[in-house]
Amino acid sequence: MPRELITLQVGQCGNQIGTEFWKQLCLEHGIGADGILEDFATEVGQDRKDVFFYQADDDHYIPRAVLMDLEPRVIDNIRVNHGQLFNPENIFVSKDGSGAGNNWAKGYSAGKSVHDELFDMIDREAEGSDSLEGFMLCHSVAGGTGSGLGSYLLETLNDRYPKKLIQTYSVFPNQEETSDVVVQPYNSLLTMKRLANNADCVVVLDNTALNRIASDRLQAEEATNLEVVNQLVSTIMSASTSTLRYPGYMNNDLIGLIASLIPTPRLHFLMTGHTPIVTPAVPSASSIRKTTVLDVMRRLLQPKNMMVSTTRSRAETHCYISLLNIIQGDVDPTQVHKSLQRIRERDMARFIPWGPASIQVALSKKSPYIPTAHRVSGLMLANHTSIQQLFTRTCKHFDRLRKREAFMEQFRKEDMFRENLDEFDDARAVVQGLIDEYKAAETPDYVHWGEAEPGVASPAAAARY
């Protein structure tokens, strides 16, 4: 029986990457823009569409998706271009349409005020599923709606559906450019507290790395940069769910996919890599080369193919906690075994000293309806301790503003911050606890980390409460 997943798209960024994801899924499963199966989609029973879609009475396919935003611009665009695909009852736009003004507190308060409307849609989708496995949240951590409303949804889903998985695709801001959102560090840190405490798995999509790949590797022009980045994200999302939609012997459901990647509850932030990197928006950059399983697996370990911007060197202690390669295409399992042996012999990946050092490999089918020039492609889902660098950079930007109590006026207008600003300090402590735990995971005695002397609170407990 398929384990269904409900996708929640929140804010401008969440709806843009979510819509690209649905366009990709429709192409892979032979579903037209109106939800009707194309005539050439004859391989019935080879895929599991019902993980992400359900069929209406006239047999056209409808995504299990709820689209939410506090301002109408992006949703109006989706209604015009993809209105026939989505269920119009599952689209929510705030009545005043003023948005969250790039303010986390405003987005969070808006979530409280429209709680009933949002959860009428979510509950209806959940009750319409035969065997719901969980929720996939697409959002950005830096703006107002994706961060604030997204945080409110994470907390409420955790209370309302305690036994369902919550996976997020969280877009982190580009930290190499000056942002026009001055309170971006506040928004990011407040959201990260909820991602640490309320999500089961967070796939980190770092705009710094995504923009670098788009401009340097794909030579995308500035006008098409956003389109290219959104297509890169949709490629990551569709590849990471391919084993759910084209089931094999392993990783047939979300819990099977993430259980081996997340050894302890708080270390659930995953980075991704993909090769070969191609995009329809820049066809000239999609050079065709010979792809083998070894070539793909070796390239996936290279930092330049990672979707998170972190520095790595042999001198540093950063290491893999766990690693899963999803290989799609024409693959012989014996090639996988030989490739793993070669990687082990050359010591290409450094693993934690307290756990098994193994690269897991899942083989997945490719869609028969999309012709691809490359024989083999691969996605890496990795739990790597260098992700703490991203969190440390965010904390530095936050500390600079917090020390001066800069730009606090808009936050103080909301109930949560009217009396005091303790929520900021609490969020800072949670994220610091996360950084400390990732650092501790690099040491052999991590298995005893957090075990305090009697009567003394452990660092993990102190960060959590």
Side-chain angles (χ1 to χ4, degrees), residues 92-379:
F92 171 83
V93 179
S94 174
K95 287 186 176 66
D96 64 6
S98 59
N102 290 319
N103 184 291
W104 183 94
K106 199 171 176 190
Y108 190 89
S109 300
K112 281 185 174 176
S113 63
V114 295
H115 171 98
D116 292 343
E117 291 173 71
L118 296 181
F119 278 90
D120 276 351
M121 296 188 290
I122 294 169
D123 290 344
R124 186 180 67 246
E125 281 298 314
E127 283 155 16
S129 306
D130 293 330
S131 178
L132 179 68
E133 184 170 26
F135 300 92
M136 265 174 47
L137 174 70
C138 305
H139 71 131
S140 156
V141 304
T145 306
S147 65
L149 179 56
S151 294
Y152 180 76
L153 285 171
L154 280 170
E155 288 180 345
T156 315
L157 284 169
N158 222 355
D159 291 339
R160 206 174 180 98
Y161 297 95
K163 299 213 171 146
K164 303 300 178 193
L165 288 175
I166 301 173
Q167 182 186 32
T168 77
Y169 288 88
S170 303
V171 178
F172 280 68
N174 187 342
Q175 295 176 339
E176 288 179 354
E177 291 179 359
T178 305
S179 171
D180 54 350
V181 182
V182 288
V183 292
Q184 185 173 283
Y186 292 152
N187 296 340
S188 300
L189 217 79
L190 290 163
T191 311
M192 279 180 64
K193 176 190 168 184
R194 276 77 191 176
L195 290 173
N197 291 345
N198 300 109
D200 295 296
C201 173
V202 177
V203 178
V204 176
L205 301 159
D206 178 12
N207 255 339
T208 312
L210 292 167
N211 279 298
R212 188 196 68 232
I213 289 169
S215 57
D216 296 353
R217 301 276 305 284
L218 298 172
Q219 276 92 45
E221 294 172 16
E222 207 163 311
T224 60
N225 214 20
L226 181 63
E227 186 187 352
V228 171
V229 166
N230 287 342
Q231 284 175 356
L232 285 173
V233 172
S234 75
T235 301
I236 295 293
M237 291 175 70
S238 66
S240 64
T241 58
S242 62
T243 59
L244 316 179
R245 298 178 288 112
Y246 297 97
Y249 297 112
M250 292 170 67
N251 308 111
N252 291 333
D253 52 13
L254 190 59
I255 186 72
L257 196 66
I258 66 176
S260 57
L261 288 168
I262 299 168
T264 58
R266 285 167 63 78
L267 302 184
H268 59 245
F269 290 80
L270 306 181
M271 51 173 76
T272 60
H274 194 270
T275 189
I277 293 172
V278 293
T279 170
V282 193
S284 58
S286 307
S287 58
I288 297 166
R289 61 169 193 268
K290 183 180 168 67
T291 53
T292 64
V293 176
L294 176 60
D295 175 62
V296 164
M297 288 174 71
R298 192 164 43 198
R299 284 173 188 274
L300 287 175
L301 293 169
Q302 294 172 351
K304 68 177 184 181
N305 289 317
M306 300 298 290
M307 306 293 175
V308 176
S309 184
T310 59
T311 55
R312 293 195 208 166
S313 72
R314 287 268 172 192
E316 289 174 337
T317 55
H318 300 314
C319 49
Y320 286 98
I321 297 170
S322 53
L323 176 57
L324 170 68
N325 285 341
I326 298 174
I327 308 291
Q328 288 182 286
D330 182 14
V331 179
D332 180 356
T334 56
Q335 293 176 315
V336 174
H337 183 68
K338 284 177 184 169
S339 304
L340 287 170
Q341 242 178 341
R342 190 79 58 86
I343 287 167
R344 199 172 290 121
E345 284 164 8
R346 295 187 183 174
D347 196 23
M348 290 182 191
R350 181 193 291 164
F351 280 87
I352 44 167
W354 49 269
S358 65
I359 297 175
Q360 303 159 71
V361 179
L363 300 181
S364 173
K365 291 179 186 171
K366 265 187 177 177
S367 167
Y369 310 124
I370 302 179
T372 52
H374 297 99
R375 203 168 59 86
V376 184
S377 63
L379 170 83

Side-chain angles (χ1 to χ4, degrees), residues 1-5 21-22 25 28-29 31 37 43-55 61 64 131 133 241-257 364-365 367-369:
M1 179 183 282
R3 307 290 309 278
E4 299 96 347
L5 293 168
F21 171 61
W22 288 112
L25 286 202
E28 289 189 16
H29 292 286
I31 297 169
L37 208 60
E43 298 201 17
V44 181
Q46 298 294 309
D47 57 7
R48 283 205 311 220
K49 299 179 188 70
D50 37 4
V51 173
F52 286 98
F53 295 89
Y54 61 91
Q55 282 183 282
Y61 285 90
R64 300 182 191 276
S131 178
E133 184 170 26
T241 58
S242 62
T243 59
L244 316 179
R245 298 178 288 112
Y246 297 97
Y249 297 112
M250 292 170 67
N251 308 111
N252 291 333
D253 52 13
L254 190 59
I255 186 72
L257 196 66
S364 173
K365 291 179 186 171
S367 167
Y369 310 124

Side-chain angles (χ1 to χ4, degrees), residues 40-88:
F40 57 76
T42 52
E43 298 201 17
V44 181
Q46 298 294 309
D47 57 7
R48 283 205 311 220
K49 299 179 188 70
D50 37 4
V51 173
F52 286 98
F53 295 89
Y54 61 91
Q55 282 183 282
D57 290 347
D58 64 353
D59 285 347
H60 82 277
Y61 285 90
I62 300 171
R64 300 182 191 276
V66 179
L67 288 65
M68 298 166 252
D69 206 349
L70 298 178
E71 56 109 10
R73 188 169 52 87
V74 174
I75 296 252
D76 283 351
N77 188 33
I78 292 169
R79 279 186 173 132
V80 170
N81 294 309
H82 310 285
Q84 288 179 287
L85 184 64
F86 295 103
N87 179 356

